[in-house]
Structure formats: structure tokens, C-alpha cells
């Protein structure tokens, strides 16, 4: 399942974040890449312990934990702390698959990467190229979202970032270990949850809502890993 989550940050928040990112201490993105990824990765990245990165990451996660769409789709159990990158002057990242497990810097905590997320901090008209190209079961998807929007997709997907030939593409990316490992099961639960929410709004007294809600939680109980 590939899902767009709009408006994680407001326009005013995006403006302030961009001003800070423009002045940030960017480093070669290869420093955080694995062996194979480093051969395809040509971008800039903030250090994992950069104070600005930590400040924005905390604000991101606070908003996402309050976002019903993200919570319903991701069913998060653990989240790898968000990272930040910049593509400019032809920067690109060739086709690759994210590592299955990531270890949090300075910690014994490990996160299984069930879901990948990219949150855009640059609007599409600010740069040329830079599309996030994702190959999934429904074909090839090309993603270039407004600043403040996030795309969520399975980490099993082959994906790349097209070369940025004008301007700069700022974004954050991170991985989520879901309570439900399988994408097909998460998709069914998400669709059922969205249907329950719609029915709760339109026919809140319908007796079938109790049964549907019970079925949702019984499936989550069967498939969930804690």
C-alpha cells in the first residue's frame, strides 16, 4: 500500500524549517549508507546527532502520533529516528531496497523496516527532477508531493530518487516497524478501519458497527506482534 498523508506540517512551520535547513551543516550522504547503497547514493545528509535534525524529528513524530491516517495505516510499534537529506546539483539515489533492520545510533535498539516514509520540505515547483520512484505491486509510482506532505510505502519496494537538475529537494525519511509485519494484512486492516470510521460518522447507531469493530480488533490480535 502506498499512501499520501497531507499536511503533517503547516505552511508557516514549513517556512521556518526550510530557513533552518538552508543554514544547516550538510554532509556527504554516503556516510550513512551501506556498501551497495553507497555506490548509488549521491546526496547530502544531516548527521544523526545534529541538534537541528533531532529537533525537527521530535516535532515530526509528535504530529504523526496524533495523525489518525498515519496511525491507522502504519500501526507503528517502533520508529527509527527520522533522518534528513538534500538533493541538488544533479544529486540522485539509484534503485535500491532499504535494509531490513536498522540499529539506532548509540543504542542497542533495532528496528525492523516494514514501512518507509518520506516527508517533503520542498514544493514541487522549487526543483526539477527529484521524483521518488517506487516499484510496487501496482506498477511504478512517481511521487513528488507538496512541502509538508508525507508518503508511506512498504520497505520491500525497490525505489530511487531521480536526479535533481534545478533547485534543492529537502526531505526527511525514516522507517517504521509495524505491529503487523505483512503489507497485505496491514492494507486489509487499514481499509476496514477507514470503513468503520465512515460508518461511525454516517450511521453511528448501526448495530453492525460493534461487530465490525470487534472483527477489526480480533484480526489485529491475530496478526499483531508486540
Amino acid at each position: 500500500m502506498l499512501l499520501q498523508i497531507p499536511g503533517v506540517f503547516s505552511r508557516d512551520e514549513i517556512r521556518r524549517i526550510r530557513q533552518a535547513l538552508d543554514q544547516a551543516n550538510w554532509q556527504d550522504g554516503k556516510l550513512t549508507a551501506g556498501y551497495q547503497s553507497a555506490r548509488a547514493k549521491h546526496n547530502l545528509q544531516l548527521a544523526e546527532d545534529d541538534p537541528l535534525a533531532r529537533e525537527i524529528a521530535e516535532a515530526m513524530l509528535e504530529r504523526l502520533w496524533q495523525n489518525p491516517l498515519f496511525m491507522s495505516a502504519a500501526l507503528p510499534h517502533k520508529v527509527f529516528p527520522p533522518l534528513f537529506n538534500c538533493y541538488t546539483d544533479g544529486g540522485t539515489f539509484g534503485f535500491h531496497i532499504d535494509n531490513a533492520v536498522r540499529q539506532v545510533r548509540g543504542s542497542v535498539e533495532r528496528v525492523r523496516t516494514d514501512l518507509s516514509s518520506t516527508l517533503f520540505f520542498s514544493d514541487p515547483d522549487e526543483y526539477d527532477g527529484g521524483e521518488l520512484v517506487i516499484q510496487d505491486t501496482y506498477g511504478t509510482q512517481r511521487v513528488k508531493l507538496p512541502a509538508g506532505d508525507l508518503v508511506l510505502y512498504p520497505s520491500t519496494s525497490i525505489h530511487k530518487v531521480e536526479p535533481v537538475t534545478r533547485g534543492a529537494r529537502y526531505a526527511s525519511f525514516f522507517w517504521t516497524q509495524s505491529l503487523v509485519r505483512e503489507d497485505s494484512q496491514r492494507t486489509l486492516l487499514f481499509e476496514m478501519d477507514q470503513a468503520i470510521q465512515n460508518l461511525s460518522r454516517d450511521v453511528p447507531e448501526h448495530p453492525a458497527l460493534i461487530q465490525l469493530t470487534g472483527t477489526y480488533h480480533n484480526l489485529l490480535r491475530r496478526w499483531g506482534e508486540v
Side-chain angles (χ1 to χ4, degrees), residues 20-211:
L21 292 177
D22 285 339
Q23 305 299 320
N25 182 25
W26 294 97
Q27 303 177 356
D28 190 332
K30 293 183 188 295
L31 295 174
T32 58
Y35 172 74
Q36 287 191 331
S37 293
R39 300 171 64 186
K41 187 176 186 180
H42 304 280
N43 66 1
L44 301 173
Q45 194 164 310
L46 292 183
E48 293 181 45
D49 58 354
D50 187 288
L52 176 62
R54 289 185 172 181
E55 180 182 355
I56 302 173
E58 288 177 6
M60 279 178 55
L61 295 180
E62 179 182 346
R63 282 158 178 75
L64 288 171
W65 250 243
Q66 298 172 6
N67 188 297
L69 196 58
F70 177 82
M71 296 301 289
S72 176
L75 294 170
H77 178 45
K78 299 179 184 179
V79 172
F80 189 88
L83 303 173
F84 297 82
N85 58 25
C86 173
Y87 291 84
T88 189
D89 296 328
T92 184
F93 197 163
F95 275 123
H96 63 284
I97 293 180
D98 294 332
N99 292 346
V101 178
R102 306 281 303 199
Q103 183 153 353
V104 179
R105 183 183 179 91
S107 169
V108 298
E109 184 79 7
R110 292 183 177 181
V111 177
R112 188 184 66 238
T113 59
D114 297 324
L115 291 156
S116 299
S117 296
T118 296
L119 194 153
F120 291 80
F121 291 115
S122 300
D123 281 314
D125 61 359
E126 294 184 73
Y127 59 98
D128 292 336
E131 293 86 354
L132 175 61
V133 181
I134 304 168
Q135 294 182 355
D136 66 8
T137 54
Y138 299 102
T140 300
Q141 313 293 324
R142 301 178 67 85
V143 182
K144 191 173 183 178
L145 301 182
D149 286 13
L150 177 143
V151 62
L152 181 72
Y153 61 97
S155 298
T156 52
S157 306
I158 298 176
H159 58 284
K160 69 175 180 177
V161 176
E162 295 278 30
V164 172
T165 57
R166 177 188 65 87
R169 174 195 187 271
Y170 292 105
S172 176
F173 61 101
F174 64 95
W175 298 274
T176 300
Q177 179 173 327
S178 177
L179 292 169
V180 177
R181 183 192 298 254
E182 292 296 327
D183 180 59
S184 59
Q185 294 172 343
R186 284 195 309 272
T187 300
L188 287 172
L189 287 168
F190 173 70
E191 291 174 348
M192 180 177 287
D193 185 43
Q194 295 304 296
I196 291 170
Q197 291 185 42
N198 291 337
L199 288 171
S200 297
R201 181 190 63 236
D202 297 338
V203 285
E205 304 302 325
H206 199 291
L209 275 170
I210 295 175
Q211 183 177 5

